[in-house]
Amino acid sequence: MITDSEFIRGLPKAELHLHIEGSLEPEQMFEFARRNRVSLPFRTVEEVRAAYAFSNLQDFLDIYYQGAAVLQTEQDFHDLAMAYFRRVAADGCRHVELFFDPQTHTDRGLPFSVAVEGLLSGMAEAKASLGITSKLILCFLRHLDEDAAFATLKAAEPWLSRIVGVGLDSSELGHPPSKFAKVYREARARGLNLVAHAGEEGPPEYVWEALDVLGVDRIDHGNRSLEDAGLVERLAKSGMTLTVCPLSNLRLCVVDDLKVHPLKRMLGLGLKATVNSDDPAYFGGYLAENWIQTSAAVGLTRSELVTLAKNSFTGSFLTPAEVAPHLAAIDAFAKGAV
Ligand code: HPA
Ligand code: ZN
């Protein structure tokens, strides 16, 4: 019988919650800083890693935005994306729907084209060289106002056919989804899919707003939904995908210990949960590591692992015809791996 870790690595999987700027490893941060002549407040990789001790989301965001300042050219974004794709190819990942934060880059003077063109070229190379498919999601920073989100959507216009949807990230508390009702309506009118971070630190009301005011297709995180039985019922009945990020939850103190992580409880309640890495360079693990550590901590069965793998594809923005071969590959793998 193969080990759980071998089973997890071998299962075909998709990643639906990944901030590409959060895959910036300290080594690469120094490399980009050197080639772009950007100064860093750290002298060594060890010093950077020592700074990754967070007690909440904002602690992390402060250092994450600082790190992103080393990204200056299309080549940087291309290299960042390819480094990520190489890592997850080794994890058995076949498809990724990645977030990027254009305002983090345009607000420090980069033209809108730099991040998006660099990422799209990295995504094309990942398809050609690794066979991994991917789609790009543009996130609005929720600590900024809705006018800034509208300006970002306008700046993205030339690329909208190559962007699959919009999302909402950054500081959740005090910035409810309803703050972005109009720009989400506009994004939907342009044919984009809609997702939003909700219920990571924010209350269940924010998840209700993401559903009822924004009309999202997926909820990113969603942990605090479990505090509201009516909301759990709504999410379960509608088959709403939750993109859960266990190691992120641990590092940002959303849970005290992986052993009490709600992933298994979510599955038991009939919620369509998926497992993702969020910001792997900052939270101590890429896709497979999230699966392996969480499975060991909460005791996932092989059948639950198969469900999670299937959820990652059926919860994606791939078409049913594109999803079908992945589901067949999961079944074939699970049948052969006893
Ligand atoms: N939550 C909110 N915003 C983010 C995150 C997150 O986990 N990662 C990057 N931006
Ligand atoms: Zn996130």
Side-chain angles (χ1 to χ4, degrees):
M1 174 131 159
I2 65 171
T3 64
D4 279 351
S5 149
E6 287 164 341
F7 185 80
I8 287 168
R9 286 187 181 281
L11 262 180
K13 297 175 288 299
E15 170 138 79
L16 304 181
H17 187 153
L18 177 276
H19 302 263
I20 195 65
E21 295 91 345
S23 71
L24 178 65
E25 291 287 341
E27 291 80 2
Q28 212 174 20
M29 198 187 287
F30 279 104
E31 186 191 329
F32 293 158
R34 194 168 49 244
R35 76 189 191 193
N36 295 324
R37 300 177 200 285
V38 173
S39 69
L40 283 174
F42 305 105
R43 277 168 310 166
T44 63
V45 165
E46 291 68 34
E47 262 184 38
V48 181
R49 290 202 197 279
Y52 293 177
F54 315 114
S55 44
N56 55 42
L57 174 59
Q58 194 60 50
D59 271 2
F60 154 70
L61 290 170
D62 292 342
I63 205 159
Y64 160 87
Y65 293 130
Q66 184 181 59
V70 302
L71 298 162
Q72 296 283 336
T73 66
E74 282 182 32
Q75 189 69 47
D76 296 339
F77 284 93
H78 173 103
D79 293 351
L80 177 72
M82 273 309 294
Y84 162 77
F85 284 123
R86 271 188 223 103
R87 282 184 183 260
V88 291
D91 280 357
C93 182
R94 306 284 177 87
H95 176 71
V96 181
E97 300 191 348
L98 58 151
F99 298 129
F100 79 120
D101 287 339
Q103 288 156 295
T104 298
H105 314 302
T106 53
D107 284 1
R108 57 190 173 83
L110 294 193
F112 188 91
S113 59
V114 172
V116 72
E117 287 290 351
L119 293 173
L120 288 167
S121 102
M123 292 161 66
E125 187 183 335
K127 172 96 185 339
S129 67
L130 301 166
I132 296 189
T133 57
S134 58
K135 293 180 185 290
L136 193 56
I137 299 176
L138 179 164
C139 277
F140 301 122
L141 296 182
R142 69 201 304 159
H143 66 274
L144 301 177
D145 63 24
E146 194 180 36
D147 285 348
F150 265 110
T152 304
L153 189 58
K154 182 147 182 47
E157 240 160 36
W159 292 275
L160 286 187
S161 65
R162 288 181 287 164
I163 290 175
V164 77
V166 298
L168 191 61
D169 66 2
S170 190
S171 322
E172 187 180 6
L173 288 170
H175 303 287
S178 52
K179 181 177 163 187
F180 296 90
K182 294 195 209 70
V183 76
Y184 266 66
R185 204 176 313 134
E186 177 72 21
R188 181 66 97 198
R190 286 165 182 268
L192 293 162
N193 293 290
L194 309 176
V195 301
H197 284 53
E200 178 185 20
E201 286 189 342
E205 289 71 32
Y206 285 20
V207 180
W208 281 112
E209 281 192 10
L211 297 173
D212 290 336
V213 181
L214 303 186
V216 295
D217 302 301
R218 280 201 302 251
I219 295 285
D220 295 315
H221 294 295
N223 299 48
R224 291 195 59 194
S225 307
L226 297 184
E227 296 168 23
D228 180 336
L231 178 56
V232 169
E233 190 182 341
R234 163 77 181 276
L235 292 167
K237 278 209 174 120
S238 59
M240 179 62 56
T241 301
L242 305 182
T243 64
V244 181
C245 305
L247 289 177
S248 163
N249 293 158
L250 182 64
R251 292 298 193 95
L252 298 186
C253 307
V254 169
V255 298
D256 295 332
D257 191 309
L258 266 193
K259 289 200 167 64
V260 296
H261 192 279
L263 180 69
K264 191 175 174 89
R265 206 151 22 103
M266 288 171 163
L267 292 174
L269 288 165
L271 293 172
K272 184 169 172 176
T274 59
V275 174
N276 308 273
S277 71
D278 211 2
D279 300 279
Y282 292 87
F283 299 148
Y286 284 75
L287 185 62
E289 201 57 32
N290 272 271
W291 282 65
I292 291 165
Q293 289 194 30
T294 313
S295 177
V298 304
L300 297 178
T301 64
R302 294 275 161 106
S303 148
E304 285 171 327
L305 292 169
V306 166
T307 297
L308 287 167
K310 289 188 173 176
N311 289 352
S312 75
F313 290 102
T314 58
S316 76
F317 295 128
L318 293 169
T319 65
E322 290 165 331
V323 167
H326 291 294
L327 300 184
I330 291 168
D331 283 332
F333 173 79
K335 200 159 159 240
V338 273

